[in-house]
Amino acid sequence: MESAAARTRPVLTAGSVLPEDADRAALVARVHDPASDGPCVAAVRGDQVVDLTAVAPTVCDLMERDDAAAVVREAHGGHVWRLDELLAAPTGRRDVPHLLAPVDLQVIKAAGVTFARSLLERVIEERTGGDPAQAARVRARVGQLVGGTLDGIRPGSPEADKAKELLVSEGLWSQYLEVGIGPDPEVFTKAPVLSAVGTGADVGVLGASVWNNPEPEAVLVVDSRGRVRGATLGNDVNLRDIEGRSALLLSRAKDNNASCAIGPFIRLFDEGFDLDTVRGLDIDLRIDGADGYVLHGSSSMREISRDVLDLVAAVHGPHHQYPDGFVLFTGTLFAPTEDRQAPGAGFTHEYGDVVRISSPRLGALVNTVVPSEQAAPWTFGVRALMLNLARRGVL
């Protein structure tokens, strides 16, 4: 019998995933090429995707070049694919060209609890021990006691210290509040190098989870020198029940097969798109269930509690280097609370959900939810990439 995920797989076109100003954008893609049996670094030029692997064998190499945007716009390329054909490719098939996550050797990092409004949901997860049935009751109590105490607070400031004192006196201090308004952000490794999936692919939720949601986020692309070179979109899939049982289960909750989606493309910084543009992004979310269920949400980068460069500095600096660069999920304002399966239980995914994360300047990342155990196995790692590129003579 055909799975729910297969029945609801979205029909993607160039027009549905490209940024609204794609004609002015320097867009980087990665394509699985059956002829090479491996990935190609590519430039998106209109409705065409041009192979640039001979110029930059990895996206990591491209990010190290000061002229990366010019290369993407102007360099002579090899094979050319039609974007619509890549988007129409069946999920998980290695015998047809298709889009991959647009990052390769970069370490995949994520910052958590970066929005004051959503950090209270992390407190609720902790207070309920990951039990969604208790969420409504705890949410009401936390809201009554905290109210707007955290609105506009700068983490690590004297105002944040006063808020901490209030919360401690009410018995509500939490490890999540510590990283939300304390001096140091939460930053963790989201997924192994090369394990992220791209737009059109299935995204995985661990089969044991009964309370989970997508996390729509802006993702920074940073080179080995700590320079932010561009941005893309990401889904930092969140298993609320597992992390809520203990923050020490973060890896179990965050790092599973196909649990990290990035894409559709990296948009490089240039004269029309820069870090200030990222600081002002609105990120929209739409979930379409196989049963007709629809959920809309949004996250505004203008409401982030820590500046994005402060998050980058928490990852890279004298204390830690990344010779292949890294990508950084910057956190989300989105924490769905409306009931879906039962009164008071809040939102959780059902298999077959189509998740669309979009922003006008970055395009749309679209994935279908399946159990992580049933997602396409991750088999192409760093060793396979090096062997493949060497065999192709591009290293």
Side-chain angles (χ1 to χ4, degrees):
M1 179 180 293
E2 191 178 34
S3 70
R7 289 197 303 272
T8 59
R9 187 173 185 273
V11 176
L12 302 180
T13 65
S16 69
V17 303
L18 283 169
E20 63 181 13
D21 57 343
D23 59 323
R24 299 191 298 276
L27 300 175
V28 180
R30 283 175 71 241
V31 176
H32 170 73
D33 178 25
S36 304
D37 194 30
C40 295
V41 179
V44 181
R45 299 172 181 170
D47 62 355
Q48 295 186 328
V49 181
V50 181
D51 181 8
L52 298 180
T53 310
V55 180
T58 67
V59 176
C60 169
D61 287 304
L62 180 62
M63 292 303 108
E64 294 299 312
R65 297 184 58 147
D66 291 337
D67 63 345
V71 168
V72 169
R73 288 193 171 98
E74 302 166 7
H76 294 294
H79 192 84
V80 177
W81 300 272
R82 290 188 60 246
L83 180 54
D84 281 335
E85 292 177 354
L86 297 176
L87 292 168
T91 299
R93 290 268 298 274
R94 295 186 59 82
D95 60 337
V96 291
H98 59 270
L99 288 177
L100 303 168
V103 301
D104 44 40
L105 294 179
Q106 296 92 341
V107 176
I108 303 173
K109 307 292 286 187
V113 203
T114 54
F115 289 80
R117 197 142 54 90
S118 65
L119 78 84
L120 292 180
E121 285 298 311
R122 304 287 84 79
V123 176
I124 291 163
E125 289 169 15
E126 182 182 53
R127 293 282 161 172
T128 62
D131 181 1
Q134 300 182 45
R137 175 182 57 80
V138 176
R139 186 175 294 113
R141 178 173 178 269
V142 170
Q144 181 181 19
L145 291 174
V146 177
T149 302
L150 303 180
D151 292 347
I153 281 185
R154 182 170 56 85
S157 67
E159 293 78 15
D161 290 340
K162 291 179 181 178
K164 176 178 179 177
E165 293 175 6
L166 170 64
L167 293 164
V168 168
S169 70
E170 295 288 351
L172 283 175
W173 186 247
S174 157
Q175 57 200 335
Y176 293 103
L177 287 163
E178 174 62 45
V179 295
I181 65 175
D184 299 311
E186 176 192 25
V187 180
F188 56 93
T189 300
K190 164 64 181 177
V193 169
L194 285 173
S195 68
V197 300
T199 202
D202 292 335
V203 67
V205 168
L206 198 65
S209 176
V210 297
W211 189 20
N212 47 71
N213 60 258
E215 292 195 343
E217 305 189 21
V219 180
L220 305 178
V221 182
V222 187
D223 70 9
S224 65
R225 287 173 276 180
R227 301 180 302 172
V228 184
R229 304 305 309 278
T232 184
L233 295 169
N235 184 355
D236 178 17
V237 178
N238 183 30
L239 308 186
R240 303 187 68 179
D241 49 353
I242 292 176
E243 186 181 351
R245 281 162 42 206
S246 170
L248 297 180
L249 292 171
L250 182 66
S251 180
R252 177 68 167 164
K254 290 291 189 179
D255 182 9
N256 298 289
N257 197 28
S259 66
C260 177
I262 299 176
F265 318 110
I266 295 171
R267 182 164 185 171
L268 296 176
F269 288 168
D270 56 19
E271 63 280 357
F273 183 80
D274 58 17
L275 204 54
D276 283 336
T277 312
V278 173
R279 290 183 175 108
L281 288 177
D282 290 319
I283 301 171
D284 295 318
L285 173 79
R286 178 184 171 110
I287 300 172
D288 288 277
D291 58 355
Y293 173 88
V294 178
L295 175 69
H296 294 277
S298 64
S299 184
S300 173
M301 290 294 289
R302 291 182 293 276
E303 295 192 44
I304 198 167
S305 301
R306 301 179 191 268
D307 186 71
V308 291
L309 286 184
D310 292 335
L311 297 177
V312 171
V315 179
H316 179 278
H319 65 292
H320 207 316
Q321 296 76 48
Y322 291 82
D324 298 314
F326 60 96
V327 295
L328 177 61
F329 283 71
T330 56
T332 185
L333 186 62
F334 178 73
T337 58
E338 70 174 59
D339 294 335
R340 181 177 189 179
Q341 295 175 341
F347 171 86
T348 196
H349 270 308
E350 293 187 2
Y351 301 137
D353 282 353
V354 175
V355 181
R356 185 178 192 272
I357 296 169
S358 62
S359 188
R361 305 298 298 278
L362 292 175
L365 172 65
V366 186
N367 303 99
T368 303
V369 176
V370 301
S372 286
E373 297 86 346
Q374 296 178 21
W378 174 40
T379 60
F380 197 89
V382 175
R383 183 168 60 93
L385 175 62
M386 294 299 104
L387 289 171
N388 180 269
L389 294 177
R391 186 173 63 248
R392 292 154 63 182
V394 294
L395 284 183

